[in-house]
Amino acid sequence: MNPIYLIRHGKTEANLRHLYCGSSDLPLAPEGIAELKQLRYCLPPARFLTSGMVRTEQTLALLFGDVPHERRPEFREIDFGKFELHTYEQLKDDPEYIAWITGDNLRNVPPGGESGEAMTRRVLEAFARLKAEDIPTVLVTHGGAIAAIMAHAFPAEKKSRYQWQPEPGHGYAILEAGYREIP
């Protein structure tokens, strides 16, 4: 198997303000741009992919320059529906929000959105196709997509999807012999 590098996009205003943000196509925040400019990746030759969302496109350009790449929207983040761009504090008294976060929030669907289970299925189907292509790949994507891939690929680690979610601008290299954190 050729290596696959999973890199989370840089910080957005939604990250800084602790907003639910999945399907909203936000740019990087100035802080996110500054942090990415400090990172240095030394990766072997690979093709480049993004989810096609602005924040992943900007991250790719900041980390690797103006490189040819493909957009694969199946690697986009979960759609939080009605809860997009809101904080817990704004939503904590909303009965629909309480119903969503109560119980199995992987299966619960936010109004107008997508369940964690549906997002995971979408991402894992796309990842299976990516692995079958067997080309060294750098994928700039989202924390939820990376967490879904890593939890599936490395179940023996017994980490939750939250524990697998890398910091913005960071990620994992999936290798023949396992994985390593990057950078």
Side-chain angles (χ1 to χ4, degrees), residues 66-83:
D66 185 19
V67 294
H69 66 283
E70 282 180 60
R71 293 169 182 89
R72 299 221 179 155
E74 58 269 30
F75 287 109
R76 71 189 185 283
E77 186 61 273
I78 190 171
D79 181 348
F80 291 107
K82 175 183 174 180
F83 307 135

Side-chain angles (χ1 to χ4, degrees), residues 100 105-106 147 151 159-166 172:
W100 176 62
N105 72 352
L106 269 179
K159 291 183 180 180
S160 75
R161 62 184 176 158
Y162 303 106
Q163 292 170 309
W164 278 116
Q165 198 167 92
Y172 301 97

Side-chain angles (χ1 to χ4, degrees), residues 28-41:
L28 297 175
E31 294 92 328
I33 291 170
E35 288 173 359
L36 289 173
K37 286 181 176 179
Q38 300 303 309
L39 297 176
R40 296 290 177 259
Y41 284 96

